[in-house]
Amino acid sequence: FSYTGEYLSYRLIAAFAVLPGWTLNAADITTAFLYAPIDQPNVVVQLPHFFLGNQSHAEKVGILRQNMYGARQAPRNFRNHAVGQLGSTGYRALTTNPAIFHQRVNKQHVFGSLFVDDCLGTQSPRVQCSSRGRFVDDVGSKFKLKYKVLRQGEFILGQHTQWDEERGTVKFSVE
């Protein structure tokens, strides 16, 4: 079982992001599941007619030393690994919603969330950071990212976004 962000989690992040001066930043963690160590042995059988070496190796099995996409425990292993990596940079998961991380920086706040292999973050206006955002930068210091530029009508985590800067609102909808 792995905590992943749910609709309520990114609604909370978006609620902060519409405050004056706050920004919303997102990124994909490329090859996310390949970063995490495996917490239990995984044995794989060779596919028929695909032998490493000669025919005498056909009955051998392999042991995975690293996660791979499609492994059932890969999201959980990555989540546990990411929590440890984010913890080393000062982030703590909220007790009320473990999918959301928080960090205080000089009396300012940074919030972020991991949604399987996507990250979404926001921060107080006076937090020193690049245009990609503090949470996304901190995740990027630990993992390889593909940054997303969020624009009107952009899809975030499968949700269509509609921004209204005058009213200070953002609307998420599934299309």
Side-chain angles (χ1 to χ4, degrees), residues 16 22 102-111 122-125 127 134:
F16 283 113
W22 289 59
H102 175 257
Q103 180 187 57
R104 286 196 68 160
V105 180
N106 300 326
K107 298 184 181 180
Q108 301 297 312
H109 300 277
V110 179
F111 292 96
T122 188
Q123 66 276 331
S124 302
V127 172
R134 176 72 177 250

Side-chain angles (χ1 to χ4, degrees), residues 35-149:
Y35 286 109
I38 292 179
D39 62 353
Q40 58 188 358
N42 288 299
V43 179
V44 290
V45 179
Q46 293 185 62
L47 296 172
H49 309 295
F50 182 79
F51 308 116
L52 300 175
N54 58 31
Q55 187 71 17
S56 65
H57 295 280
E59 299 299 320
K60 292 189 177 188
V61 296
I63 296 177
L64 291 178
R65 295 185 181 166
Q66 196 170 5
N67 269 315
M68 61 185 232
Y69 282 94
R72 289 183 182 174
Q73 67 275 20
R76 177 176 39 101
N77 290 345
F78 174 70
R79 161 80 183 170
N80 294 340
H81 181 64
V83 167
Q85 294 294 311
L86 289 171
S88 71
T89 59
Y91 286 93
R92 299 289 174 253
L94 299 182
T95 54
T96 55
N97 188 337
I100 298 178
F101 296 90
H102 175 257
Q103 180 187 57
R104 286 196 68 160
V105 180
N106 300 326
K107 298 184 181 180
Q108 301 297 312
H109 300 277
V110 179
F111 292 96
S113 190
L114 296 176
F115 303 91
V116 186
D117 64 346
D118 293 313
C119 67
L120 190 65
T122 188
Q123 66 276 331
S124 302
R126 293 189 298 258
V127 172
Q128 298 286 328
C129 63
S130 74
S131 62
R132 293 184 296 259
R134 176 72 177 250
F135 183 75
V136 172
D137 281 345
D138 289 343
V139 172
S141 72
K142 302 294 181 182
F143 307 105
K144 185 177 176 185
L145 299 180
K146 179 181 175 187
Y147 298 99
K148 295 179 181 179
V149 177

